[in-house]
Amino acid sequence: DQQVKQNSPSLSVQEGRISILNCDYTNSMFDYFLWYKKYPAEGPTFLISISSIKDKNEDGRFTVFLNKSAKHLSLHIVPSQPGDSAVYFCAASNTNAGKSTFGDGTTLTVKP
Amino acid sequence: DGGITQSPKYLFRKEGQNVTLSCEQNLNHDAMYWYRQDPGQGLRLIYYSQIVNDFQKGDIAEGYSVSREKKESFPLTVTSAQKNPTAFYLCASSGAGGQPQHFGDGTRLSIL
């Protein structure tokens, strides 16, 4: 049973527009959520996170929203740039357990 | 420069052989992790360690073994019992409590 799901394998947007990447989870014990970005042949890099006590966290062009009742989080990138083209992974953890569960990723393509 | 180093970048294994993948970090992180990524899929946790001389199985530990004798090092051995070892292997480290993970650039293992 997959506890973290990213239902859209791919997303294509025009440069300058908003990119919205979605993630759903099933385990109500998760209390910390993260987004990672991955380029081909490299390891993922941490992008932004949110604690379950918040519903929004913003860092520059990146904002993560958390809807606990729906067990849903989303990553907004505004404005999107061609350099944002990468695979984005959603991850969830319970801070007491110390490990994260990853989704399958969404490949974002930003067209110039 | 602080970081996490995986070696080698590419590794080939003959049928029936054990191989060991190296992972070293100089970030002074307590926790270290090994993941496997198959094409089109997310990161699946093999083993993780939250402290020296202690480690736990992840979701897909069968056919793998690890050791954590030093804080800086967390080598992964892919044994002959792993029937489908061809994959991209990623090592990561983090501070305690599910903090964001720092990843190496991975090792791609192939079977000859």
Side-chain angles (χ1 to χ4, degrees), chain B residues 90-105:
Chain B
L90 284 160
C91 179
S93 69
S94 75
Q99 293 178 26
Q101 296 177 22
H102 295 247
F103 285 83
D105 281 339

PDB file of all heavy atoms in Angstrom, chain B residues 90-105:
ATOM      1  N   LEU B  90      20.881   5.238  -4.078  1.00  0.00           N
ATOM      2  CA  LEU B  90      21.137   6.551  -3.504  1.00  0.00           C
ATOM      3  C   LEU B  90      21.344   6.447  -2.003  1.00  0.00           C
ATOM      4  O   LEU B  90      20.601   5.769  -1.296  1.00  0.00           O
ATOM      5  CB  LEU B  90      19.956   7.489  -3.767  1.00  0.00           C
ATOM      6  CG  LEU B  90      19.854   8.026  -5.189  1.00  0.00           C
ATOM      7  CD1 LEU B  90      18.448   8.520  -5.464  1.00  0.00           C
ATOM      8  CD2 LEU B  90      20.852   9.143  -5.411  1.00  0.00           C
ATOM      9  N   CYS B  91      22.359   7.134  -1.539  1.00  0.00           N
ATOM     10  CA  CYS B  91      22.657   7.230  -0.110  1.00  0.00           C
ATOM     11  C   CYS B  91      22.322   8.643   0.342  1.00  0.00           C
ATOM     12  O   CYS B  91      22.466   9.612  -0.427  1.00  0.00           O
ATOM     13  CB  CYS B  91      24.129   6.926   0.132  1.00  0.00           C
ATOM     14  SG  CYS B  91      24.642   7.027   1.850  1.00  0.00           S
ATOM     15  N   ALA B  92      21.857   8.784   1.568  1.00  0.00           N
ATOM     16  CA  ALA B  92      21.505  10.093   2.102  1.00  0.00           C
ATOM     17  C   ALA B  92      21.871  10.163   3.574  1.00  0.00           C
ATOM     18  O   ALA B  92      22.060   9.135   4.236  1.00  0.00           O
ATOM     19  CB  ALA B  92      20.014  10.370   1.909  1.00  0.00           C
ATOM     20  N   SER B  93      21.954  11.382   4.077  1.00  0.00           N
ATOM     21  CA  SER B  93      22.170  11.579   5.504  1.00  0.00           C
ATOM     22  C   SER B  93      21.326  12.753   5.974  1.00  0.00           C
ATOM     23  O   SER B  93      20.915  13.600   5.166  1.00  0.00           O
ATOM     24  CB  SER B  93      23.649  11.841   5.807  1.00  0.00           C
ATOM     25  OG  SER B  93      24.064  13.101   5.304  1.00  0.00           O
ATOM     26  N   SER B  94      21.068  12.799   7.264  1.00  0.00           N
ATOM     27  CA  SER B  94      20.303  13.903   7.822  1.00  0.00           C
ATOM     28  C   SER B  94      20.594  14.036   9.304  1.00  0.00           C
ATOM     29  O   SER B  94      21.132  13.124   9.944  1.00  0.00           O
ATOM     30  CB  SER B  94      18.802  13.690   7.611  1.00  0.00           C
ATOM     31  OG  SER B  94      18.303  12.703   8.496  1.00  0.00           O
ATOM     32  N   GLY B  95      20.198  15.173   9.847  1.00  0.00           N
ATOM     33  CA  GLY B  95      20.191  15.304  11.284  1.00  0.00           C
ATOM     34  C   GLY B  95      19.061  14.470  11.853  1.00  0.00           C
ATOM     35  O   GLY B  95      18.331  13.797  11.120  1.00  0.00           O
ATOM     36  N   ALA B  96      18.882  14.525  13.143  1.00  0.00           N
ATOM     37  CA  ALA B  96      17.874  13.697  13.792  1.00  0.00           C
ATOM     38  C   ALA B  96      16.463  14.218  13.516  1.00  0.00           C
ATOM     39  O   ALA B  96      16.281  15.337  13.040  1.00  0.00           O
ATOM     40  CB  ALA B  96      18.133  13.681  15.299  1.00  0.00           C
ATOM     41  N   GLY B  97      15.485  13.392  13.795  1.00  0.00           N
ATOM     42  CA  GLY B  97      14.103  13.829  13.766  1.00  0.00           C
ATOM     43  C   GLY B  97      13.506  14.049  12.401  1.00  0.00           C
ATOM     44  O   GLY B  97      12.639  14.909  12.238  1.00  0.00           O
ATOM     45  N   GLY B  98      13.945  13.283  11.408  1.00  0.00           N
ATOM     46  CA  GLY B  98      13.331  13.394  10.092  1.00  0.00           C
ATOM     47  C   GLY B  98      13.647  14.672   9.360  1.00  0.00           C
ATOM     48  O   GLY B  98      12.886  15.100   8.488  1.00  0.00           O
ATOM     49  N   GLN B  99      14.750  15.305   9.685  1.00  0.00           N
ATOM     50  CA  GLN B  99      15.133  16.540   9.003  1.00  0.00           C
ATOM     51  C   GLN B  99      15.433  16.284   7.530  1.00  0.00           C
ATOM     52  O   GLN B  99      15.628  15.138   7.122  1.00  0.00           O
ATOM     53  CB  GLN B  99      16.358  17.137   9.698  1.00  0.00           C
ATOM     54  CG  GLN B  99      16.088  17.644  11.109  1.00  0.00           C
ATOM     55  CD  GLN B  99      17.352  18.188  11.751  1.00  0.00           C
ATOM     56  OE1 GLN B  99      18.273  18.631  11.077  1.00  0.00           O
ATOM     57  NE2 GLN B  99      17.392  18.149  13.065  1.00  0.00           N
ATOM     58  N   PRO B 100      15.464  17.340   6.718  1.00  0.00           N
ATOM     59  CA  PRO B 100      15.741  17.138   5.288  1.00  0.00           C
ATOM     60  C   PRO B 100      17.021  16.343   5.050  1.00  0.00           C
ATOM     61  O   PRO B 100      18.017  16.519   5.736  1.00  0.00           O
ATOM     62  CB  PRO B 100      15.878  18.568   4.756  1.00  0.00           C
ATOM     63  CG  PRO B 100      15.037  19.373   5.661  1.00  0.00           C
ATOM     64  CD  PRO B 100      15.182  18.754   7.010  1.00  0.00           C
ATOM     65  N   GLN B 101      16.947  15.461   4.078  1.00  0.00           N
ATOM     66  CA  GLN B 101      18.078  14.596   3.779  1.00  0.00           C
ATOM     67  C   GLN B 101      18.950  15.192   2.687  1.00  0.00           C
ATOM     68  O   GLN B 101      18.470  15.827   1.755  1.00  0.00           O
ATOM     69  CB  GLN B 101      17.563  13.217   3.350  1.00  0.00           C
ATOM     70  CG  GLN B 101      16.817  12.502   4.471  1.00  0.00           C
ATOM     71  CD  GLN B 101      16.231  11.179   4.058  1.00  0.00           C
ATOM     72  OE1 GLN B 101      16.669  10.561   3.087  1.00  0.00           O
ATOM     73  NE2 GLN B 101      15.246  10.715   4.802  1.00  0.00           N
ATOM     74  N   HIS B 102      20.259  14.963   2.831  1.00  0.00           N
ATOM     75  CA  HIS B 102      21.229  15.333   1.811  1.00  0.00           C
ATOM     76  C   HIS B 102      21.624  14.057   1.087  1.00  0.00           C
ATOM     77  O   HIS B 102      21.979  13.067   1.726  1.00  0.00           O
ATOM     78  CB  HIS B 102      22.462  15.969   2.447  1.00  0.00           C
ATOM     79  CG  HIS B 102      22.182  17.269   3.124  1.00  0.00           C
ATOM     80  ND1 HIS B 102      22.677  18.466   2.656  1.00  0.00           N
ATOM     81  CD2 HIS B 102      21.453  17.565   4.219  1.00  0.00           C
ATOM     82  CE1 HIS B 102      22.250  19.442   3.447  1.00  0.00           C
ATOM     83  NE2 HIS B 102      21.520  18.923   4.399  1.00  0.00           N
ATOM     84  N   PHE B 103      21.559  14.099  -0.231  1.00  0.00           N
ATOM     85  CA  PHE B 103      21.803  12.906  -1.029  1.00  0.00           C
ATOM     86  C   PHE B 103      23.145  12.959  -1.738  1.00  0.00           C
ATOM     87  O   PHE B 103      23.633  14.035  -2.117  1.00  0.00           O
ATOM     88  CB  PHE B 103      20.709  12.748  -2.093  1.00  0.00           C
ATOM     89  CG  PHE B 103      19.403  12.262  -1.552  1.00  0.00           C
ATOM     90  CD1 PHE B 103      18.498  13.139  -0.990  1.00  0.00           C
ATOM     91  CD2 PHE B 103      19.076  10.906  -1.614  1.00  0.00           C
ATOM     92  CE1 PHE B 103      17.279  12.690  -0.487  1.00  0.00           C
ATOM     93  CE2 PHE B 103      17.862  10.451  -1.119  1.00  0.00           C
ATOM     94  CZ  PHE B 103      16.973  11.343  -0.549  1.00  0.00           C
ATOM     95  N   GLY B 104      23.718  11.776  -1.936  1.00  0.00           N
ATOM     96  CA  GLY B 104      24.845  11.634  -2.844  1.00  0.00           C
ATOM     97  C   GLY B 104      24.342  11.603  -4.281  1.00  0.00           C
ATOM     98  O   GLY B 104      23.134  11.664  -4.533  1.00  0.00           O
ATOM     99  N   ASP B 105      25.267  11.467  -5.220  1.00  0.00           N
ATOM    100  CA  ASP B 105      24.885  11.453  -6.627  1.00  0.00           C
ATOM    101  C   ASP B 105      24.588  10.058  -7.155  1.00  0.00           C
ATOM    102  O   ASP B 105      24.342   9.887  -8.351  1.00  0.00           O
ATOM    103  CB  ASP B 105      25.965  12.114  -7.475  1.00  0.00           C
ATOM    104  CG  ASP B 105      25.896  13.631  -7.404  1.00  0.00           C
ATOM    105  OD1 ASP B 105      24.810  14.151  -7.052  1.00  0.00           O
ATOM    106  OD2 ASP B 105      26.910  14.290  -7.686  1.00  0.00           O
TER     107      ASP B 105
END
